[in-house]
Amino acid sequence: MAEELKTSFSGKDGNGGLTLYANPFGTGKKFYGRFERDVLSMENLFSRVQEKNPGADEIIINTAISYIKREILAALKEGKAVNLLDLGELYIAATGSTASDSKTDVSDLSLTVKFSASTVLRESIANVSIGKIMLSDTLPAITKIFNWFTGAESTTLTAGKNVILEGKRLKLGSDDSGLFLAAVDEKGEVSSDDESAWIDCTSLVRVNTPKKIDFYLPAEATDGSSYRIVIKSNYVNGATKRKEPVYTYSDVVTVAA
């Protein structure tokens, strides 16, 4: 079955990993990167301190950290910015925009906390490099096909009965989406890229969720014919839609009486 595209590029030296994600909102094949995040807890940091400073007192350090944390939060509540160990500044910032020029009406704006890295912090990551690159695509993925009539996972479907698809990001989305059966040739390739030549099963979908689709095989899906199930979807999540729909094809399925 088609799975999430994830490719590792070897032969690189480095101490960091980068995952490339396809941008679901653009019309071109563009990707954005996300550096792998391996978070150290305060306990992890203290263990590292003790390894390099065996005489460090755990109670004293934890107490000092607790006091410092309390005062940082108190300072932010007072509207102040805080210098964090010369690593950078935590500060309060306004987000959004307002159409009002009134000095009393700024209801469209909200406040959040941001961090501005210092030169020392920026220089500390100068030697971080990418040692591993992963490519992750957000296309729908059909991982299992079930024949509802037999209750079994199978690529042999029963004419006039239901089919259940399981996988990731399967939900069809808006009116621009659809579910089809595309006839295949003897090599298992889709015979025609013309969508109008496919059997449209969209109106026969009973369950439409990101992880499961349940639909009825129409009368046009005749005994002995082979197809690929095609999901055409612009769904990403919630109310978010892609600018253009994407297509996902199942393995070849055969209809039997």
Side-chain angles (χ1 to χ4, degrees), residues 129-249:
S129 57
I130 307 301
K132 179 179 64 176
I133 299 176
M134 305 292 288
L135 180 63
S136 178
D137 209 339
T138 54
L139 291 174
I142 301 172
T143 56
K144 293 181 180 180
I145 301 175
F146 291 91
N147 182 326
W148 179 87
F149 183 69
T150 63
E153 181 180 350
S154 176
T155 55
T156 300
L157 311 178
T158 304
K161 302 297 180 181
N162 282 61
V163 180
I164 298 174
L165 307 178
E166 291 185 357
K168 303 175 183 177
R169 299 174 292 275
L170 299 179
K171 190 170 180 178
L172 300 184
S174 67
D175 293 339
D176 294 331
S177 302
L179 182 75
F180 307 89
L181 295 177
V184 298
D185 56 26
E186 63 279 359
K187 295 181 180 180
E189 301 295 333
V190 173
S191 304
S192 173
D193 291 332
D194 182 3
E195 194 173 304
S196 64
W198 300 344
I199 301 174
D200 191 347
C201 305
T202 310
S203 62
L204 303 176
V205 173
R206 301 194 310 173
V207 176
N208 179 28
T209 70
K211 294 184 178 181
K212 181 179 179 180
I213 287 181
D214 183 338
F215 71 100
Y216 179 78
L217 276 180
E220 295 93 323
T222 56
D223 181 20
S225 299
S226 294
Y227 307 90
R228 287 187 185 269
I229 302 169
V230 184
I231 292 177
K232 175 187 177 184
S233 176
N234 62 354
Y235 177 84
V236 178
N237 59 64
T240 306
K241 301 290 183 281
R242 300 174 188 267
K243 287 188 176 181
E244 291 187 356
V246 293
Y247 292 80
T248 296
Y249 298 78

Side-chain angles (χ1 to χ4, degrees), residues 18-30:
L18 188 74
T19 301
L20 299 179
Y21 294 86
N23 180 5
F25 310 113
T27 56
K29 194 65 169 179
K30 294 184 179 180

Side-chain angles (χ1 to χ4, degrees), residues 49-70:
V49 170
Q50 278 195 317
E51 287 176 4
K52 297 174 182 177
N53 305 274
D57 188 290
E58 179 178 359
I59 295 177
I60 293 176
I61 292 179
N62 281 332
T63 301
I65 290 173
S66 176
Y67 288 163
I68 292 171
K69 176 183 176 181
R70 183 181 64 191

